[in-house]
């Protein structure tokens, strides 16, 4: 879809143009089969029962997964280098290989480290599921359980911690606490035995994986703002951490923030960067929809159990109630029954859910929520319009957008340099929001079609599993040097 590279469109283009993606240990790492039609994560023989910490085998598989991602990415770059003929000389390919090894290793190691820290430092509130992924200790999510099923669970020693009716989504959820002393894995097994037809799943944690390095040098003053098309009246939802209110790049945007995690809101570097790529503007920097209204749902808060599936679904319900037509989710993780139901409800009501495909490499399985039907999955490209070697791929990829060597707003009022599909997704979200003023099923499809017409087709002709419909928002990449970005922020 879109324009082929080198072609020009006479009518111009319309509109302007830090997950977070969580650690996701999919089939390559733990042979994941969770959240499907069976109503919960699969329980493999021999893996049930209490597991307070990940075992040696789990850690080894994580490390193997990291090496596989690096190897696959390097092979991909070598293949692209050979295929381009004279366009890339040998030194250019070697340079790209070095960058690939560095970037993919950093992201993989960050995910591993976060998983280890959660599972080893917060054993009182976090535990592994049957595949070693962090979940809230002892908690099980039930999707629309019958009163009789809840009564049986309570008789068996379970306790209802929370029951939410989410009318904006048409979803009912119940959080059940298992009997004292049993693991979440065992709790899920017992509930499925008590109610074989019920839909139950872990309360998965979708943890951020961005990292900020030490400052390179003090920033110089940012140039005076240049003219940019305003997007006042455009509304976008954002599921992430809280956004720094005092960021000058976001002074023209309208921020509406609400906390959905324990401990209240906490501004994060990742959320602030993502928000600026949607609605920011300062000097030569501008987001896809500068001046837009952002409905920011902080699902991380201040505790280790932030980023739970339960918090994300409640946030999505709030955004549906606020009628945010486009919702950006820059996080990834395993499939989850409750999250899937919420996304399905949003799509059916005419919202566009935009999500990053993730950075687990070309051989990784699809990550969620990007891989759910109807979600606009976004990948990232570098300044030379080459796919990020660490980016996920598959038939669900809808668009590509800038994802590396570009600036975004930082927590301290300056700018940071960002990399990852986390930062490509908000560019596509902001552009789509210009075409969709309110939730509408037909309007959502029309918005994707209109943006697709502006896309530059970089892969095989038409929709392909690497670039989707093609590259959008290429003109929104602001080189870090132009705004004296002083940190490097890497996101999923």
């Amino acid at each position: 879809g879109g324009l082929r590279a080198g072609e020009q469109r006479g009518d111009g283009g319309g509109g302007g143009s830090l997950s977070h993606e969580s650690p996701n240990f999919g089939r390559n790492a733990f042979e994941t089969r969770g959240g499907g039609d069976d109503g919960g994560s699969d329980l493999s023989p021999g893996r049930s029962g209490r597991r307070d910490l990940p075992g040696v085998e789990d850690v080894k598989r994580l490390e193997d997964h990291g090496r596989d991602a690096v190897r696959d990415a390097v092979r991909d770059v070598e293949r692209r280098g050979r295929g381009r003929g004279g366009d890339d000389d040998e030194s250019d390919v070697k340079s790209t290989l070095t960058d690939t090894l560095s970037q993919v290793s950093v992201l993989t190691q960050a995910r591993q480290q976060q998983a280890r820290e959660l599972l080893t430092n917060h054993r009182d509130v976090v535990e592994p599921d049957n595949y070693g992924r962090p979940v809230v200790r002892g908690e099980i999510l039930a999707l629309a359980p019958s009163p009789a099923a809840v009564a049986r669970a309570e008789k068996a020693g379970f306790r209802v911690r929370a029951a939410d009716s989410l009318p904006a989504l048409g979803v009912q959820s119940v959080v059940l606490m298992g009997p004292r002393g049993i693991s979440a894995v065992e709790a899920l097994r017992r509930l499925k035995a008590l109610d074989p037809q019920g839909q139950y799943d872990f309360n998965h944690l979708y943890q951020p994986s961005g990292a900020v390095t030490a400052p390179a040098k003090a920033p110089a003053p940012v140039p005076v703002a240049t003219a940019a098309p305003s997007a006042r009246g455009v509304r976008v939802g954002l599921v992430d951490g809280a956004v720094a209110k005092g960021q000058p790049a976001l002074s023209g945007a309208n921020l509406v923030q609400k906390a959905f995690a324990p401990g209240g809101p906490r501004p994060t570097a990742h959320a602030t960067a993502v928000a600026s790529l949607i609605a920011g503007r300062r000097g030569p920097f501008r987001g896809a929809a500068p001046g837009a209204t952002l409905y920011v749902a902080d699902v991380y808060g201040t505790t280790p159990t932030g980023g739970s599936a339960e918090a994300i679904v409640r946030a999505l319900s709030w955004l549906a109630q606020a009628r945010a037509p486009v919702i950006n989710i820059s996080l990834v993780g395993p499939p989850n029954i409750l999250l899937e139901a919420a996304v399905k409800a949003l799509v059916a009501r005419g919202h566009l859910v935009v999500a990053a495909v993730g950075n687990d490499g070309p051989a990784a399985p699809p990550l969620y929520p990007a891989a759910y039907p109807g979600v606009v999955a976004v990948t990232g490209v570098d300044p030379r319009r080459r796919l990020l070697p660490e980016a996920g791929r598959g038939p669900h990829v809808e668009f590509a957008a800038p994802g590396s060597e570009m600036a975004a707003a930082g927590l301290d009022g300056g700018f940071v340099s960002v990399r990852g599909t986390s930062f490509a997704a908000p560019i596509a979200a902001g552009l789509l929001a210009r075409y969709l003023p309110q939730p509408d099923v037909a309007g959502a499809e029309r918005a994707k079609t209109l943006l697709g017409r502006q896309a530059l087709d970089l892969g095989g002709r038409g929709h392909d599993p690497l670039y989707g419909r093609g590259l959008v928002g290429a003109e929104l990449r602001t080189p870090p040097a132009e705004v004296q970005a002083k940190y490097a922020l890497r996101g999923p």
Side-chain angles (χ1 to χ4, degrees), residues 24-32 44 46-67 108 111-113 115-116 119-120 127-134 185:
N24 175 76
F25 311 125
R27 283 190 169 88
N28 285 15
F30 292 111
E31 297 301 315
T32 305
S44 299
R47 295 298 298 273
S48 61
R50 186 178 182 86
R51 294 182 65 215
D52 288 324
L53 291 169
V56 172
E57 180 184 357
D58 292 338
V59 173
K60 182 180 184 300
R61 287 178 179 178
L62 280 174
E63 293 169 348
D64 289 345
H65 182 53
R67 286 194 292 270
T108 303
R111 287 191 298 273
Q112 293 177 16
Q113 184 61 30
R116 291 193 187 99
L119 293 168
T120 58
E127 64 176 307
D129 69 0
N130 46 307
Y131 295 114
R133 301 168 301 199
V185 170

Side-chain angles (χ1 to χ4, degrees), residues 373-392:
V375 173
V376 179
V378 183
T379 189
V381 300
D382 67 15
R384 303 181 73 175
R385 299 176 179 175
R386 299 175 302 191
L387 191 70
L388 297 185
E390 67 269 26

Side-chain angles (χ1 to χ4, degrees), residues 165-172 312-321 327 338-339 341-347 349 351:
S165 177
L166 307 172
L169 297 175
V171 170
Q172 181 188 8
I312 294 168
V313 169
R314 289 193 295 111
L316 292 175
S317 179
W318 173 64
L319 293 172
Q321 188 174 14
I327 299 170
L338 192 59
L339 178 60
V343 169
K344 183 178 180 180
L346 285 166
V347 172
R349 286 161 171 75
H351 297 263

